[in-house]
Amino acid sequence: MPTALIILAAGQGTRMNSDRPKVLHEVAGAPLLAHAMAAADALSAERTVIVAGHGAEAVQSAALAVDPEVLLAVQAEQLGTAHAVAQAAAALEGFEGDAIVLYADTPFIRPGTLAAMAEARARHSVVVLGFEPADPDRYGRLVMAGDTLDRIVEFKDASAAERAIPLCNSGVIAADCRLMFELIAEVGNDNAAGEYYLTDIVGLARARGLSAGVVVCDETETLGVNSRADLARAEDAFQARARAEALDKGVTLVAPDTVYFASDTIVGRDAVIEPYAMFGPGVTVESGARIRAFSHLEGCHVSRGAVVGPYARLRPGAELSEDVRVGNFVEVKNAQIAEGAKVNHLSYIGDATIGAAANIGAGTITCNYDGVFKHRTEIGAHAFIGSDTMLVAPVSVGAEAMTASGSVITGNVPDGALALGRARQENKPGLARKLFDRLRAQKAERKRD
Ligand code: UD1
Ligand code: CA
C-alpha cells in the first residue's frame, strides 16, 4: 500500500520561550523536524508533506535541506489539528493510498511501531497510535468498544469517567488518504477549545459503519517536546537509545553515558570510543578505529585502524585513511590524510592533502586563509614536516621532502628536497652572561630608589 506522510509543524511552541520555531530545536544535532521526517524512510513514503505555520519560511527551508523532494503546505492560522491536515490536501492531489499523520514535536516513534500501524490498517479503516502514560495528564483519551476504538475524547471535553481512561492518544493517525480528507471535511469546531480536532475523524468513521483500531506503543516513543526541559529529556532518551544500539553492534564505549552521538553517526564494529567523545552530524568511524577521550568530530570519516585524540577536533571534510594518527590538540578541516600519516601534536591542518606515511611535526600549521580566500596545501608521501613549520598556502611539499623546524614555507618544495625557511642561527659567546649581569644590576638599583 503506497503511503503518504503528513507532518504537522505549524504550532508556535510558546513554552519553548524561543525566537526559533519549536520544530527547529535540535536533538542529537538535527532539528526535531528532521527526526520526524526520518519516519518517511521507515514507511517508504511516496510523498511527505510538511504543514508549516509559525516561522513557516525557516521550517520549510529546514525541511528542504533534509529532503529536496518534500512537499510544503502552510497553515496560516492554527485552527486545530484537522484544519492543519486539511492544508495538505493540495499536495496530496491524485494520491492513492494511506495517509499517516505525525507531529513534528513528537518525532521518536519507532519504525516498527509505524509498520504495526500500517499492518493494522488491513483490519481497520482508521488506526490510531495509543499509549498508557504514567501520568495521563491532559492527553486525549481513547474510548474503546471491546477490541475496537469507538471515539477519541479530548481532555477538555471529557467527563470524569472518560478522564479515568488510562489509554491516551499519541496523535499519530493512519487512514486511507481520500477517506481521511472526506472525514476531515465533516469535522466541526463546536467543542471546549473551539478547534477543528483531527481526533473527531474516529467518531465520524464509526458513524459511517467503518471500523477503527488502536496500536499501543511505549510511552518513551510518544515523548513530546513542549519545553526546554522536554527537549533535554528527548536528548537524553535519544542518546540512551543510540548508546545501547552502538553497544549491541559491537562498539566499545568505555563510559557510555559520556558519549554523545548525532542522529546520523555511523560507528563500525570493534571501534573503541573513549569517554567524552562528541559526535556532530555526518560522522563515519570504521571498524577498529579508536576515538580517544575528549575528541570532537563532525562531518568526517575515520578509517579502519586510525587513532584520533585525545583532545582532537575533526571538522567537516576531514578524511582519515587507514592507520592515520591524529593526536592531542590537533584540528583537521577539509583535508585528506593518506594511509599511515601522522599529525600527532598541536597542529592545524586545513584545506590540505597529506600523502601516505608523511609525518607532520608538532605545531605545524597550514596557513590556508589570506583574509579573503582559502588556499590548499599539498604534502607528498613520506614527507617529513619539521616541528613548527608554517605552510603558507597555496604551497606544496614533494614526496620524501623535508622542512626544517621553525620554517615558514612560502614556495613549493620539490620531491626529496630539504627546505630551510628561517633565519640562520648566530652565537655570541659570553653575551648572555653580560646581559644578565646588566639586568640584575638595574633591578638592584631600582630596589634602592
Ligand atoms: C493533540 C490531540 C490529543 C493528543 C495529543 C498528543 C487533537 C485535537 N488532540 O492534543 O488527543 O493526546 O495531541 O500530544 O488532535 N498543530 C498544527 N496546527 C494546529 C494545531 C496543532 O500544526 O492548528 C500541531 C502542533 O504544532 C503540534 C500538534 O499539531 O505539533 C499537536 O497540537 P497540540 O496543540 O499540541 O495538540 P494537543 O492539544 O496536545
Ligand atoms: Ca501537544
Side-chain angles (χ1 to χ4, degrees):
M1 177 70 76
T3 305
L5 184 62
I6 303 171
I7 300 179
L8 304 191
Q12 184 171 18
T14 320
R15 286 168 56 204
M16 294 300 285
N17 192 10
S18 173
D19 291 336
R20 213 198 286 194
K22 171 161 78 175
V23 299
L24 298 188
H25 283 267
E26 293 182 350
V27 165
L32 293 172
L33 180 66
H35 288 274
M37 288 172 71
D41 291 335
L43 290 163
S44 314
E46 278 191 7
R47 300 190 200 181
T48 299
V49 189
I50 310 291
V51 182
H54 282 278
E57 259 175 54
V59 169
Q60 293 183 332
S61 55
L64 289 168
V66 176
D67 174 8
E69 310 256 277
V70 81
L71 302 166
L72 304 167
V74 173
Q75 185 193 28
E77 248 190 306
Q78 280 67 64
L79 303 179
T81 44
H83 179 259
V85 174
Q87 310 313 306
L92 293 174
E93 185 77 53
F95 176 77
E96 306 263 348
D98 269 11
I100 178 152
V101 178
L102 279 186
Y103 299 162
D105 62 2
T106 311
F108 300 111
I109 315 283
R110 279 175 186 272
T113 301
L114 296 171
M117 288 185 72
E119 195 253 330
R121 274 275 299 115
R123 300 184 298 280
H124 303 287
S125 296
V126 179
V127 174
V128 171
L129 182 62
F131 68 117
E132 290 197 16
D135 173 15
D137 197 35
R138 303 182 61 80
Y139 287 113
R141 300 301 205 269
L142 302 184
V143 182
M144 301 299 288
D147 276 351
T148 61
L149 176 61
D150 189 44
R151 66 202 161 83
I152 305 179
V153 59
E154 286 305 293
F155 181 83
K156 278 187 185 169
D157 303 288
S159 66
E162 287 164 340
R163 288 180 180 185
I165 296 172
L167 189 59
C168 292
N169 174 30
S170 70
V172 185
I173 286 192
D176 172 76
C177 186
R178 198 174 310 176
L179 175 69
M180 188 181 287
F181 285 114
E182 268 180 46
L183 295 172
I184 283 173
E186 295 174 21
V187 170
N189 65 349
D190 183 15
N191 54 49
E195 284 184 10
Y196 296 89
Y197 293 161
L198 180 61
T199 46
D200 282 356
I201 69 169
V202 171
L204 291 166
R206 297 276 292 146
R208 291 186 178 202
L210 301 171
S211 145
V214 175
V215 166
V216 178
C217 74
D218 194 78
E219 186 181 1
T220 54
E221 295 182 52
T222 64
L223 186 82
V225 174
N226 294 305
S227 63
R228 305 273 182 167
D230 290 342
L231 189 69
R233 267 191 287 278
E235 181 76 47
D236 230 34
F238 182 94
Q239 294 301 338
R241 214 194 264 187
R243 291 164 189 151
E245 278 171 17
L247 293 167
D248 275 352
K249 280 194 208 143
V251 176
T252 295
L253 303 179
V254 176
D257 289 350
T258 67
V259 173
Y260 284 80
F261 291 110
S263 59
D264 60 353
T265 307
I266 298 170
V267 183
R269 198 163 160 254
D270 287 325
V272 177
I273 313 289
E274 293 186 8
Y276 296 98
M278 170 100 199
F279 294 88
V283 177
T284 308
V285 175
E286 286 187 12
S287 294
R290 189 177 190 103
I291 308 301
R292 303 205 55 202
F294 296 102
S295 293
H296 189 284
L297 290 79
E298 60 188 316
C300 63
H301 176 212
V302 178
S303 300
R304 233 166 240 278
V307 180
V308 173
Y311 297 100
R313 178 165 185 212
L314 301 185
R315 290 173 53 206
E319 275 278 338
L320 275 48
S321 302
E322 292 184 18
D323 303 319
V324 160
R325 297 280 179 278
V326 168
N328 37 260
F329 305 107
V330 170
E331 173 180 345
V332 181
K333 182 216 76 169
N334 186 31
Q336 295 75 49
I337 305 186
E339 200 174 330
K342 292 180 181 149
V343 192
N344 271 335
H345 335 267
L346 301 156
S347 274
Y348 172 63
I349 302 297
D351 302 310
T353 307
I354 298 192
N359 187 87
I360 311 298
T364 294
I365 291 186
T366 54
C367 309
N368 61 327
Y369 187 47
D370 59 17
V372 180
F373 297 106
K374 299 278 173 66
H375 303 283
R376 289 198 68 84
T377 299
E378 314 271 345
I379 294 173
H382 297 275
F384 182 93
I385 305 299
S387 293
D388 194 32
T389 297
M390 299 295 121
L391 296 154
V392 183
V395 75
S396 70
V397 176
E400 293 171 22
M402 262 189 189
T403 68
S405 54
S407 288
V408 178
I409 301 296
T410 53
N412 295 342
V413 182
D415 288 354
L418 165 67
L420 282 135
R422 62 185 191 205
R424 185 178 293 278
Q425 180 174 330
E426 243 183 282
N427 292 338
K428 310 275 189 190
L431 189 58
R433 223 171 257 138
K434 246 189 226 165
L435 263 171
F436 272 132
D437 288 347
R438 197 199 301 158
L439 292 169
R440 284 184 188 121
Q442 279 176 5
K443 191 172 179 184
E445 202 153 304
R446 280 185 204 173
K447 260 191 193 156
R448 272 199 299 278
D449 290 347

